[in-house]
């Protein structure tokens, strides 16, 4: 698989503090890169560095080759054109990313129109309905006029994915997209992301602190700690033979089905 995005020696610093420290990775075209690590390891700063959206005072160094374009060399207007249009982002907390005062339809339609000049409001609303149908929101034609608070957490995340998809991006960056959701809904959203990927051929960067989340969907993985990549390889390789003690510790934290069966047996024996 060739690489859609290649990061080489990417660093992010705030003054003297280097929070992402010369990391390198590749995102396979149409594939999924999982970025895993505990809180504070630099995962979000890595994704914001790709998007050119670092908080004030954040400095980015190194190279980000996106399909032959060096993102670090783009001006802000050029980067704005890439953002949303070719690279889209899905955040952890859809409620804080959605405006409570506008209907979800208006928000998807505006995201769509901002990247498609000359599209009428009516056509954009139709595109919003279609985007909602693509993420399996039932009765999309009616729900398009609902406000964010009228949706459950999982449905709001579907709205965010619909918004991200509305411009047919080549790369979707999902930063802890399931963390705020309960386990059953988490699985549905992951399945939806995988389905979207199959249908659109978009590449995906999935950022999470939870190895169980990436185990099913990632082709390649990088494990981050204190801003550095401590382990990299195929998901299969890392799961079957982790090289770093930190990865092993993350793996040990993943509940396994055989563990719960063991537990059930023990409990059953006692009863
Ligand atoms: N605006 C800022 N100024 C200075 N340091 C910051 C700023 N934002 C984040 N950091 C620091 O950057 C480091 C990496 O943060 P980052 O948010 O990328 O971690 P993360 O792995 O995504 O963790 P989480 O899962 O908790 O979001 C942290 O040590 C954090 O304190």
């Amino acid at each position: 698989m060739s690489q859609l995005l290649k990061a080489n020696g990417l660093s992010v610093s705030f003054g003297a503090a280097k929070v992402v420290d010369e990391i390198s990775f590749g995102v396979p075209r149409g594939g999924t890169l999982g970025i895993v690590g505990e809180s504070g390891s630099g995962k979000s700063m890595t994704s914001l560095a790709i998007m050119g959206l670092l908080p004030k005072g954040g400095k980015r160094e190194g190279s980000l080759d996106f399909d032959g374009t060096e993102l670090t060399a783009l001006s802000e207007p050029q980067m704005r054109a890439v953002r949303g249009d070719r690279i889209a982002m899905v955040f952890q907390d859809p409620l804080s990313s959605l405006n409570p005062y506008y209907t979800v339809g208006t928000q998807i339609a505006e995201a769509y129109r901002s990247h498609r000049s000359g599209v009428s409001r009516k056509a954009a609303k139709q595109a919003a309905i279609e985007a909602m149908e693509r993420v399996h929101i039932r009765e999309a034609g009616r729900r398009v006029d609902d406000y964010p608070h009228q949706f459950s957490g999982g449905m709001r995340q579907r709205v965010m994915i619909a918004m991200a998809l509305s411009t047919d991006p080549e790369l979707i960056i999902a930063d802890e997209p399931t963390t705020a959701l309960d386990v059953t809904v988490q699985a549905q959203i992951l399945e939806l992301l995988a389905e979207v990927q199959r249908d659109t051929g978009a590449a995906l960067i999935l950022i999470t602190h939870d190895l169980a989340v990436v185990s099913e969907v990632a082709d390649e993985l990088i494990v981050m700690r204190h801003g550095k990549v401590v382990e990299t390889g195929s998901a299969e390789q890392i799961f079957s033979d982790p090289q770093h003690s930190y990865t092993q510790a993350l793996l040990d934290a993943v509940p396994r089905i055989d563990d719960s069966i063991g537990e059930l047996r023990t409990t059953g024996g006692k009863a």
Side-chain angles (χ1 to χ4, degrees), residues 14 19 38-45 55-56 176:
F14 291 90
V19 298
E38 65 195 354
S39 180
S41 55
K43 307 179 300 292
S44 296
M45 289 301 142
K56 213 162 173 266
E176 304 270 8

Side-chain angles (χ1 to χ4, degrees), residues 64 87 119 189 205:
L64 284 164
I87 307 179
V119 172
I189 294 295
I205 298 180

Side-chain angles (χ1 to χ4, degrees), residues 14-261:
F14 291 90
K18 221 172 197 182
V19 298
V20 176
D21 196 355
E22 295 195 26
I23 68 169
S24 300
F25 57 84
V27 184
R29 224 172 268 279
T32 298
L33 171 77
I35 303 184
V36 191
E38 65 195 354
S39 180
S41 55
K43 307 179 300 292
S44 296
M45 289 301 142
T46 302
S47 63
L48 294 173
I50 297 169
M51 297 290 279
L53 289 175
L54 286 176
K56 213 162 173 266
K59 186 168 156 233
R60 178 178 69 174
E61 285 167 297
S63 160
L64 284 164
D65 178 335
F66 178 60
D67 204 19
T69 302
E70 178 55 51
L71 294 182
T72 58
L74 297 184
S75 65
E76 180 46 32
Q78 287 170 323
M79 194 58 218
R80 213 174 297 137
V82 170
R83 245 185 338 249
D85 198 12
R86 300 184 64 194
I87 307 179
M89 207 157 167
V90 176
F91 292 97
Q92 173 180 343
D93 179 7
L95 207 50
S96 61
S97 315
L98 289 166
N99 188 324
Y101 302 113
Y102 291 98
T103 65
V104 298
T106 303
Q107 295 182 65
I108 301 172
E110 282 311 307
Y112 180 75
R113 284 181 79 203
S114 67
H115 293 276
R116 298 270 189 287
S117 48
V119 172
S120 70
R121 274 179 205 283
K122 199 170 164 216
K125 185 168 180 182
Q126 189 51 40
I129 294 172
E130 281 163 24
M132 287 169 73
E133 282 168 349
R134 268 160 91 186
V135 298
H136 310 300
I137 294 177
R138 282 196 205 121
E139 298 183 71
R142 181 175 64 77
R143 299 229 64 190
V144 72
D145 293 321
D146 282 349
Y147 289 85
H149 74 267
Q150 292 171 281
F151 288 78
S152 66
M155 282 296 153
R156 280 197 287 266
Q157 198 54 294
R158 283 177 193 268
V159 169
M160 293 307 295
I161 295 170
M163 206 183 285
L165 286 180
S166 66
T167 56
D168 282 327
E170 291 147 72
L171 173 65
I172 301 169
I173 304 178
D175 191 351
E176 304 270 8
T178 62
T179 303
L181 307 172
D182 71 48
V183 175
T184 323
V185 184
Q186 274 188 11
Q188 290 164 0
I189 294 295
L190 287 174
E191 174 50 40
L192 174 65
L193 282 170
E195 181 191 324
V196 157
Q197 208 174 11
R198 276 195 305 271
D199 293 351
T200 64
L204 178 68
I205 298 180
L206 184 61
I207 296 175
T208 176
H209 64 278
D210 184 352
L211 259 176
V213 164
V214 289
S215 63
E216 296 291 322
V217 283
D219 302 300
E220 297 282 322
L221 271 185
I222 61 173
V223 180
M224 288 187 73
R225 187 184 196 198
H226 302 323
K228 289 188 166 53
V229 171
V230 294
E231 186 149 356
T232 175
S234 71
E236 214 182 336
Q237 215 175 316
I238 289 180
F239 274 90
S240 59
D241 189 18
Q243 297 298 308
H244 198 283
S245 55
Y246 176 67
T247 315
Q248 184 61 57
L250 287 176
L251 274 173
D252 288 344
V254 175
R256 285 163 194 267
I257 291 175
D258 45 349
D259 286 354
S260 17
I261 292 172

